[in-house]
């Protein structure tokens, strides 16, 4: 990853048909069956005329009835609740001063984005993908009839690529939510959304139809949404850019997934689309509405990283415990380094993907029975799922828009942090993300020349250096170190 640039805080085929001879002979034999050429009676026998066929038009009512199917009914139920999500982001760009004086670029570039979503509550609550709204400075929602509302972002969960936005409206059509746990491979699926946005010239969502190709798919490759997607629904219903965040619907007209990504070497649909299961979506939406953040289940287990050459090899490497966080549910349950997890919650675990998928099914506070393979025997244990340690840790607010948490051994092991100490960026505003370059999950390790060991120490060091001039931060991201600089206003 390239270093994050220092950003000032202060404003800165001819087809030929050939009938085989055998087939021709067969047709002739069938046509002459029951006639003996040596029989004179047979030679003068007259064959009865063929029965006339109906030539009249098919009644119109039969045609109309055949046009209506379960699919058309399902679309009628859901389409009114499908919306277009429009976003705008502001990007800082370098400006040549001579160009600026001549009326050129102002130092900002505005980029428009578009996706889909669907209404889940009649008071304006809408579900979409996190990657549709992440970093947006403004969000608006267009309804089926073209009415557009300004929207606010209620919460975003990047881990599951889900977001909730809200508009100020009442008595809206609502999409009925189904269940993804009882999906049948081969059953109909319908993807509804706005591929390529307003290039198509209107607000009405488009529909593509396919089947459930597979369930429980784990992706770690070229997907349009980016990142790693766990325990997904695979469908061959066409999903294209702009479909992101729209509903995947079954033949009953129920939403069973949120269209999120495609696997494509070309950027267009090749029949490999993926949706986030609706059962997981319900849980995340509840968390975002109630807490503003998703409560991710934590048990304190970190697995060995498999040394493999392809994603296919990962499927059978097993799930071997590499670290157990101190004070974690796993430690309390007696899990040890070197144990192999073979099942969790009554479902088999064969690789790290399947372990992560089992965790996604959980809510904080629930119990998780797992089976460990240790020294050639099976050991059953049960863990109570907790919040991630940084969620319950004390927070220190810096610059009024930045929440920091002191890095503990549990946090360091859970997140794989290289620094022995520092302050974890727990929450950050869009303004500080854009102007300073800090992101949630970064670890501030140094302020100026001072190594820091706590969130409070970071706050104090920023205040001291900010009073004298520029503040320089050294921070860790993905086990690499970067530097940023800003001044206080």
């Amino acid at each position: 990853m390239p270093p994050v640039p220092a950003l000032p805080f202060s404003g800165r085929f001819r087809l030929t048909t050939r009938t085989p001879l055998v087939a021709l002979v067969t047709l002739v034999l069938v046509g002459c069956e029951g006639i003996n050429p040596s029989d004179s009676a047979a030679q003068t026998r007259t064959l009865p005329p063929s029965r006339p066929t109906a030539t009249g038009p098919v009644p119109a009512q039969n045609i109309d009835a055949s046009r209506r199917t379960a699919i058309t009914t399902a679309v009628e139920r859901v389409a009114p609740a499908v919306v277009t999500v429009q976003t705008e982001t502001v990007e800082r760009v370098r400006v040549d001063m001579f160009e600026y004086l001549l009326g050129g670029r102002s130092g900002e570039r505005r980029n428009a984005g578009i996706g889909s979503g669907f209404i889940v509550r009649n008071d304006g609550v809408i579900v979409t993908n996190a990657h549709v709204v992440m970093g947006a400075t403004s969000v608006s929602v267009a309804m089926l009839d073209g009415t557009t509302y300004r929207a606010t972002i209620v919460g975003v969960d990047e881990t599951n690529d889900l977001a909730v936005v809200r508009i100020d409206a009442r008595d809206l059509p609502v999409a009925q939510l189904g269940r993804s746990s009882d999906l049948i491979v081969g059953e109909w699926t319908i993807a509804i959304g706005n591929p390529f946005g307003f290039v198509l010239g209107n607000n009405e969502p488009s529909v593509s139809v396919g089947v459930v190709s597979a369930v429980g798919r784990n992706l770690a490759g070229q997907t349009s949404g980016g990142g790693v997607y766990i325990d997904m629904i695979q469908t061959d219903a066409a999903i294209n850019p702009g479909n992101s965040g729209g509903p995947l619907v079954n033949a009953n007209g129920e939403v069973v997934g949120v269209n999120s990504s495609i696997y494509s070497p070309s950027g267009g649909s090749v029949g490999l689309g993926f949706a986030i299961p609706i059962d997981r979506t319900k849980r995340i939406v509840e968390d975002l509405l109630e807490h503003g953040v998703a409560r991710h289940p934590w048990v304190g287990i970190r697995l060995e990283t498999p040394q493999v050459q392809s994603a296919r090899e990962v499927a059978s490497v097993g799930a071997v415990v590499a670290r157990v966080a101190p004070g974690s549910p796993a430690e309390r349950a007696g899990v040890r380094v070197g144990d192999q997890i073979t099942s969790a919650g009554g479902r088999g675990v064969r690789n790290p993907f399947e372990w992560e998928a089992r965790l996604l099914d959980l809510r904080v506070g629930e119990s998780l029975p797992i089976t460990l393979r240790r020294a050639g025997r099976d050991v059953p244990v049960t863990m109570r799922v907790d919040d991630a340690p940084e969620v319950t840790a004390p927070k220190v607010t810096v610059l009024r828009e930045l929440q920091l948490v002191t890095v503990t051994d549990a946090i360091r092991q859970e997140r794989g942090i290289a620094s022995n100490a520092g302050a974890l960026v727990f929450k950050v505003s869009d303004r500080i993300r854009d102007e300073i370059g800090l992101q949630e999950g970064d670890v501030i390790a140094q302020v100026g020349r001072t190594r820091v060991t706590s969130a409070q120490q970071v706050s104090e060091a920023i205040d001291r250096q900010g009073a004298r001039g520029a503040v320089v931060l050294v921070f860790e991201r993905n086990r690499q170190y970067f530097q940023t600089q800003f001044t206080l206003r």
Side-chain angles (χ1 to χ4, degrees), residues 77-161:
R77 289 178 179 173
V78 179
V82 179
V83 301
T84 301
V85 179
Q86 305 165 76
T87 64
E88 183 181 76
T89 59
V90 178
E91 177 186 2
R92 289 187 172 273
V93 295
R94 297 187 63 179
V95 179
D96 180 90
M97 185 56 66
F98 182 73
E99 179 184 6
Y100 176 74
L101 293 175
L102 293 179
R105 295 183 299 178
S106 64
E108 294 182 343
R109 178 187 296 130
R110 297 182 179 272
N111 302 310
I114 199 164
S116 303
F118 56 97
I119 304 168
V120 295
R121 283 192 356 195
N122 65 1
D123 59 350
V125 175
I126 295 166
V127 173
T128 186
N129 282 147
H131 74 261
V132 170
V133 300
M134 280 298 295
T137 53
S138 67
V139 181
S140 60
V141 170
M143 312 299 288
L144 183 65
D145 62 2
T147 304
T148 300
Y149 299 88
R150 300 287 292 183
T152 58
I153 300 175
V154 175
V156 175
D157 180 21
E158 290 186 81
T159 300
N160 290 288
D161 195 18

Side-chain angles (χ1 to χ4, degrees), residues 226-461:
V228 177
Y229 292 83
I230 304 297
D231 201 27
M232 302 286 280
I233 302 167
Q234 180 182 336
T235 181
D236 61 350
I239 298 175
N240 284 291
N243 271 119
S244 291
L248 186 70
V249 180
N250 64 15
N252 290 327
E254 302 166 330
V255 180
V256 295
V258 182
N259 300 322
S260 182
S261 61
I262 60 174
Y263 184 89
S264 174
S266 63
S269 175
V270 293
L272 290 171
F274 300 91
I276 304 161
I278 199 64
D279 293 350
R280 189 194 314 165
T281 301
K282 292 176 186 176
R283 177 176 63 81
I284 299 302
V285 169
E286 289 176 5
D287 277 354
L288 293 178
L289 287 172
E290 184 173 351
H291 308 291
V293 295
R295 299 180 68 187
H296 294 139
W298 177 69
V299 296
I301 290 176
R302 199 165 190 87
L303 301 182
E304 289 183 355
T305 303
Q307 302 299 313
V308 295
Q309 300 299 316
S310 68
R312 180 179 295 274
E313 295 179 73
V314 177
S316 58
V317 297
V320 179
V321 177
R323 291 197 297 272
V324 178
S328 67
E331 184 184 61
R332 295 194 299 267
V335 180
R336 304 175 186 174
V337 172
D339 288 345
Q340 180 175 353
I341 302 170
T342 59
S343 74
R347 299 172 62 187
V349 175
R350 297 166 297 181
N351 52 62
F353 286 144
E354 293 184 345
W355 168 246
E356 294 297 332
R358 303 301 173 263
L359 293 180
L360 290 175
D361 294 337
L362 298 171
R363 291 179 182 269
V364 174
E366 292 181 339
S367 293
L368 175 66
I370 69 173
T371 301
L372 305 170
R373 191 71 176 168
R374 179 187 297 166
R377 62 189 183 92
D378 290 337
V379 179
V381 301
T382 299
M383 300 180 290
R384 184 182 182 277
V385 180
D386 284 353
D387 268 311
E390 62 266 26
V391 174
T392 56
K395 313 295 186 302
V396 173
T397 301
V398 180
L399 305 174
R400 300 192 303 273
E401 302 173 57
L402 180 66
Q403 279 192 348
L404 303 178
V405 171
T406 299
V407 172
T408 63
D409 287 343
I411 293 175
R412 187 169 59 84
Q413 291 194 30
E414 173 64 19
R415 288 181 170 261
I417 298 170
S419 302
N420 291 325
L424 174 75
V425 177
F426 179 72
K427 186 178 292 186
V428 61
S429 70
D430 291 339
R431 187 171 73 94
I432 290 186
R433 183 185 293 112
D434 294 339
E435 297 185 7
I436 297 182
L438 289 175
Q439 299 178 4
E440 293 174 5
D442 290 345
V443 174
I444 300 174
Q446 186 171 312
V447 181
R449 297 178 180 274
T450 305
R451 297 283 296 181
V452 292
T453 60
S454 70
Q456 185 61 41
Q457 191 176 358
V458 171
S459 178
E460 295 169 355

